[in-house]
Amino acid sequence: MWHATVLTLFPEMFPGPLGISLAGRALASGLWGLDARDIRTAATDRHRSVDDTPAGGGPGMVLRADVLAAAIDAADISPDRPKLLMSPRGRPLTQSRVGELAAGPGPLIVCGRFEGIDQRVIDARELEEVSIGDYVLSGGEIAAMALIDACVRLLPGVMGKLASGTDESFSNGLLEYPQYTRPQVFEGRTVPDVLVSGDHAKIDVWRQNEAEALTRARRPDLWAAYQNRIDLARSRKSTTKG
Ligand code: ADE
């Protein structure tokens, strides 16, 4: 079973939103597992301290390497499980990395707090730093929840027949086309005619065009990557034709 092990100073934050709705139902029915462990239980001194002042001076506190390493080692995870550290310094999380993580046994996730974590434990335990975007949260817990949620919805049986997810944003490199439902007229705005035409070929073309226009306008980075992939596919085809 896919399993997430979370190391945090605030284990009571979990499962939190992951205990509700799609992920929560799947958790309750045993489609995935979660255990949130308190880093503080690995502290050894009288005061159970987990942090100390930064070497070289400066504001804030730094999570101690020995304490976090002991917490990671105590989790005793199998070596095939990825060890992640949620951090704004990390490589930005993508749908493709989410897909890889969902296909594996499930990660160990360290949630950072304070000003940072002693670099030596990141190096010694080979933690992969992962960011969920270019903004700073007060800790890694919410970032870990976002990552876990994105993985869980891809697990077999979690989304039912929606699971193919072929039309959704990013899976094909484009943002998702707009959706409509009843009523046919809302505050004078109608559902686009093509969507009520019953002509599915036409609907597919319309949706593709909308997805492309939206991606070009909002995400030039995704648009460029999408065009490169199309160009590459075209050139491959023409080479095979010879
Ligand atoms: N911790 C604080 N900010 C973060 C971010 N943007 N991504 C991942 N972890 C974080």
Side-chain angles (χ1 to χ4, degrees), residues 4-235:
T5 302
V6 179
L7 301 184
T8 168
L9 290 164
F10 302 99
E12 65 276 20
M13 284 191 187
F14 292 85
L18 297 172
I20 295 170
S21 188
L22 189 81
R25 281 195 302 273
L27 185 61
S29 57
L31 290 171
W32 66 289
L34 172 68
D35 77 285
R37 298 165 178 240
D38 193 345
I39 293 169
R40 200 172 292 277
T41 52
T44 50
D45 70 339
R46 222 156 41 85
H47 299 104
R48 310 241 105 192
S49 56
V50 293
D51 58 343
D52 210 327
T53 54
M61 299 291 269
V62 176
L63 195 53
R64 288 167 57 124
D66 55 347
V67 173
L68 183 54
I72 293 170
D73 297 346
D76 193 29
I77 61 154
S78 70
D80 60 330
R81 294 179 61 194
K83 293 189 292 294
L84 314 180
L85 168 63
M86 303 315 296
S87 157
R89 287 199 331 191
R91 197 188 297 272
L93 185 62
T94 61
Q95 187 64 26
S96 116
R97 184 71 184 117
V98 166
E100 289 170 5
L101 291 169
L108 170 95
I109 309 176
V110 176
C111 301
R113 278 270 156 182
F114 312 109
E115 267 47 49
I117 289 181
D118 191 307
Q119 182 64 36
R120 291 169 296 175
V121 67
I122 303 175
D123 299 338
R125 294 298 177 274
E126 301 183 71
L127 303 180
E128 172 190 342
E129 292 183 71
V130 177
S131 166
I132 63 160
D134 290 340
Y135 43 83
V136 181
L137 303 168
S138 54
E141 286 78 9
I142 290 173
M145 289 176 197
L147 182 147
I148 294 168
D149 182 85
C151 289
V152 164
R153 59 187 288 285
L154 299 181
L155 299 177
V158 171
M159 285 223 301
K161 69 182 167 67
L162 273 174
S164 73
T166 44
D167 275 357
E168 67 185 16
S169 286
F170 302 118
S171 62
N172 59 1
L174 294 175
L175 300 182
E176 201 189 357
Y177 51 78
Q179 298 278 16
Y180 299 85
T181 184
R182 277 181 282 273
Q184 167 66 19
V185 183
F186 164 69
E187 296 183 354
R189 299 162 193 263
T190 58
V191 173
D193 286 340
V194 60
L195 297 181
V196 291
S197 68
D199 183 337
H200 289 286
K202 246 193 186 159
I203 291 171
D204 286 347
V205 171
W206 182 87
R207 285 179 167 168
Q208 178 69 19
N209 288 339
E210 290 287 317
E212 289 183 7
L214 212 57
T215 307
R216 186 161 39 192
R218 290 186 186 169
R219 294 292 302 273
D221 56 329
L222 292 181
W223 180 243
Y226 178 75
Q227 284 180 307
N228 281 340
R229 245 180 310 125
I230 293 206
D231 289 348
L232 192 68
R234 282 215 186 98
S235 70

